[in-house]
Every structure is written in structure tokens, then in C-alpha cells.
Amino acid sequence: MIRRRELLLAGLATLAGPHVSFAAGKKYGPGVSDAEIRIGQTMPYSGPASAYGVQGAVEVAYFRRLNEKGGINGRKVNLISLDDAYSPPKTVEQTRKLVENENVLAMYGTVGTPTNTAVHRYLNQKKVPQILISTGASKWNDPKNFPWTTAFFPLYDVEGAIYGRYIVEHTPNAKIAILSQNDDAGRDYVRGFKEGLGERAKDMVVAEATYEVTDATVDSQMVKLKNSGADVFFLMATPKFGAQAIRKRHEMGWKSDIYVVSVAASIGSVLKPAGFDAAQGVITATAMKTPGDPRWSDSPDMKAYAAFMKDAGMEGMFSDSSAALGYLSATLLHRVLESCGDDLTRENLMRKVTSLNYDDLPMLLPGVNIRTTPENYSAFNTLMLQRFTGEGYELFGEPVSARKA
């Protein structure tokens, strides 16, 4: 009987494919054993977007602390986080290393549109989960053509549309200047923004400029935009260039309204370097509580986050929105892996991550939830607008739908 059972299990493993193993009723994909769950990611710990590297540092620290407490269902989570310098060729190199040499179960949380684009097709062709990536490009919500990829960020075009609709409603005679990064993320944001403006876009937008991630500064673009006579400035940038643009606008005495996309609205990595004097009045959209905002200081989730950052030796990064996003993302991955139980295959992981339904995760604003379906991988349903005043943000208005109608 024992021999027959062994043969049956061997046959099932063969049918399931070379990446699935069975052990006492358990199903394991690559990188999984009774003792370990191996997950990979690449992060810009150096290079032009290195400000985002704190996200990876927080995620690594989260799972290190979780492992000290016993891990997930008795398994330690080995998050292997490698530097890609926000360089697509380096992302390809490091991702192949993680998939083919480190044999990870999934790629998780990688930052950036150009970096994730570089490995998008490769991972889907190999049926390796590319999950909860830190970018909101609309291309990541494509279950039909890229079923192995999901994002963990409000979609850029939808966020952009929210700003556009708000401007049309509240300042319909605005003259708008736009600065954006010359890549897919920048184009998504600008396209959504103009869709939000609707048929008024061609009259309201009076100047546009772009920059490359290899540029030293955006000073010349800012001079051009100010000289257009615009009284509203829409800024899509990564943290380094976001801080430069906000500071330059202030130095030039450009008295425009300013809308800054969420990827460049961190107090710690953008507004503080730009100078709080320069950042007054910045409007952005968010799904998360702002670390350091007095209204949340006594909330249990903010206290837990503050304690975690102190314990990890990163209290100096407490107010960085990328750190808070990393904490939220790691908590979600923790929940997802836990829900997989003993079926830790790539297929089951994707079933779980494409059927999320959480409204109790730490750092989310009241009324904001995280939901996905097999037909719609967009995780965020709602956003709220907030304005920078003094040394923090103030929420205003009601939650706004972050899904296309």
C-alpha cells in the first residue's frame, strides 16, 4: 500500500508539471518547502529613483521580524531583494537570477514602470507571478494577455483623471502647464489627466514639457512652463525631480495652483527636500493615512507602524510615504501567503492575489478598500484628495471612485 501511494503521488506530480511537489497533502511550487517560502524582488536602492528604495528596505525588515516570530504557518519567508538601480537592463539581469538561480516562487513588489515592463513578457511566458508591483500603469490590469501580473498602486490614468475632473469643476477657466517623465508612467498620467479635463483639455492645457530620468535637473523645463502664463501646474515626476520642480516653482515666484501625483507627494522624500515653504498648497490624491498627521497619531495601526519603524531602526523614515506603502504591501503579502495554507503553488498564489477583499489593512484611509477580481486586477477602489498645509496634509472632500465607469 505504501508503494502504491508513492507511485500515485509521483504520478500526480508529473501531471501537475515540473514545478509542483507534493508532501503529506501539501502542494509546493518553486522556492517552497516545509521550512521556507522564497520570494524575489528588485528595487532601486541606487540610481535616479533611489528614494523609492526605502520601500524594499521596509518590506525586507517586515518579513525579517515576522520570521523571528515563527514565519507563516511554520515557514520562514525569504524575501531576496536585489538592487536594479531603476535600470531596465539591470532589472532583467537580476530578475533572471532570481527566477532561474534562486528559484523563487514569485516576483513581488518591484518598483517602477520601465523596470517592470522590461520583465513583463518574460515572467508571463514562464508563468511566474509578478505580483503587487509598485506601479500603477494601466498595462498591469490586463488579465487576458498578462494573467500573471498584478499591481499594488492606484492606476495612473485613473488618478490623473481625478485631478482633471476636479480642476474642470472648481477652476474651469484654468490655464494648465504639465511636466511629466518621458515614459509609460508619465504618458499614462497625462492621458488620464486630459481625459478628466474632457473636451476642455485642448483649450485649458497651454504648455507641456517632459524630462528623462537621466537628466540632471528640470530647471529649463520649469522656466518654459512658467513663461506660458499657466496658473495651474500638473506635476508627474519621481521623487528627485518632483522635489526639484516644486522648489524651482517657488524660487521663480510662480504663483500657480499645483497638483502633484501620488508617486511624488511624499512628505519625507519630496516635500521636505523641496522645502515646506515651497510645498504649501500642493494637492495630491491618496488611499493611505499620512504618517505624522496628528489626526492618526492615536490610531492603533499608526502606532503599530511607528513601533515597527523604530524596532527596525528606520524611525527617521517614518514620514516617507514609500515606507508606509512598503509596510502596507508587506502586510498584504503576509495575508495572501497565509491564506494559501499548504497549497503554495504559483497557480494558487495567483488565485488568491486576484481575489483580494480587504478593508482592514493598516494605513488605509477610512472608506478605502482593496479588492481585485479575476476580471479586474486594479486593487484600489477609492482615493481622497488632500492639500499640504504647514507641515502636513489635510484631507478635503469625499472619497472619489478610482475605477473607470
Side-chain angles (χ1 to χ4, degrees), residues 47-371:
S50 59
Y52 291 136
V54 63
Q55 185 173 326
V58 167
E59 290 161 356
V60 170
Y62 180 96
F63 287 106
R64 182 185 303 120
R65 188 177 73 164
L66 181 66
N67 290 339
E68 291 169 355
K69 296 179 178 180
I72 297 176
N73 298 326
R75 303 178 185 91
K76 302 295 177 68
V77 178
N78 182 3
L79 177 56
I80 307 171
S81 186
L82 303 181
D83 184 19
D84 66 9
Y86 205 68
S87 166
K90 188 69 172 178
T91 306
V92 172
E93 175 190 343
Q94 298 288 51
T95 299
R96 285 186 177 275
K97 176 180 178 181
L98 289 164
V99 171
E100 297 170 18
N101 297 340
E102 297 291 348
N103 204 35
V104 296
L105 175 67
M107 292 296 297
Y108 151 75
T110 294
V111 165
T113 297
T115 47
N116 277 289
T117 297
V119 294
H120 193 198
R121 191 170 298 277
Y122 164 76
L123 292 172
N124 275 263
Q125 286 176 343
K126 294 187 73 68
K127 298 183 179 180
V128 177
Q130 183 186 19
I131 60 172
L132 306 178
I133 57 178
S134 192
T135 159
S138 59
K139 69 168 77 175
W140 313 130
N141 187 17
D142 189 1
K144 180 179 179 180
N145 297 306
F146 293 94
W148 296 86
T149 300
T150 74
F152 190 59
F153 212 91
L155 297 183
Y156 297 152
D157 58 340
V158 177
E159 182 187 341
I162 287 173
Y163 301 125
R165 290 196 296 269
Y166 183 83
I167 291 170
V168 167
E169 182 178 347
H170 294 275
T171 52
N173 297 316
K175 293 183 292 183
I176 304 168
I178 300 171
L179 176 65
S180 62
Q181 186 165 291
N182 186 27
D183 63 6
D184 286 347
R187 286 184 282 274
D188 264 0
Y189 266 120
V190 173
R191 175 172 52 80
F193 180 67
K194 290 180 177 178
E195 287 175 357
L197 294 174
E199 60 183 19
R200 300 290 312 282
K202 61 182 181 297
D203 299 320
M204 297 179 78
V205 176
V206 298
E208 296 185 59
T210 62
Y211 71 88
E212 306 292 337
V213 295
T214 53
D215 289 348
T217 75
V218 292
D219 285 0
S220 61
Q221 292 94 324
M222 290 299 295
V223 170
K224 170 191 170 183
L225 295 177
K226 176 183 181 294
N227 290 341
S228 71
D231 52 18
V232 170
F233 176 38
F234 177 64
L235 172 61
M236 182 281 142
T238 50
K240 170 187 170 181
F241 296 104
Q244 287 182 3
I246 292 169
R247 187 65 199 173
K248 185 65 176 179
R249 167 182 167 272
H250 179 69
E251 291 173 349
M252 294 188 301
W254 185 8
K255 303 297 184 182
S256 64
D257 292 341
I258 177 170
Y259 293 80
V260 178
V261 300
S262 57
V263 297
S266 167
I267 293 177
S269 64
V270 179
L271 304 190
K272 190 173 182 179
F276 286 164
D277 56 338
Q280 297 305 302
V282 161
I283 294 174
T284 192
T286 185
M288 298 174 60
K289 298 173 181 176
T290 300
D293 186 333
R295 84 181 68 195
W296 310 120
S297 59
D298 291 328
S299 65
D301 58 343
M302 191 62 74
K303 286 183 175 180
Y305 168 64
F308 164 81
M309 292 297 284
K310 182 176 181 180
D311 182 62
M314 293 188 286
E315 57 263 56
M317 301 175 184
F318 171 78
S319 65
D320 192 319
S321 62
S322 288
L325 180 63
Y327 181 76
L328 170 60
S329 177
T331 303
L332 177 56
L333 180 61
H334 176 182
R335 295 267 194 103
V336 168
L337 291 173
E338 196 169 51
S339 73
C340 287
D342 289 333
D343 186 353
L344 284 159
T345 59
R346 287 171 170 170
E347 292 77 11
N348 193 44
L349 178 61
M350 290 307 302
R351 282 192 288 271
K352 297 297 184 180
V353 85
T354 58
S355 58
L356 303 174
N357 188 5
Y358 296 106
D359 59 9
D360 61 342
L361 291 174
M363 312 303 288
L364 290 180
L365 287 168
V368 173
N369 52 30
I370 291 173
R371 289 181 183 167

Side-chain angles (χ1 to χ4, degrees), residues 365-388:
L365 287 168
V368 173
N369 52 30
I370 291 173
R371 289 181 183 167
T372 58
T373 69
E375 296 76 33
N376 191 336
Y377 288 3
S378 178
F380 289 89
N381 297 302
T382 49
L383 298 174
M384 290 193 68
L385 292 175
Q386 57 183 356
R387 181 182 287 107
F388 191 74

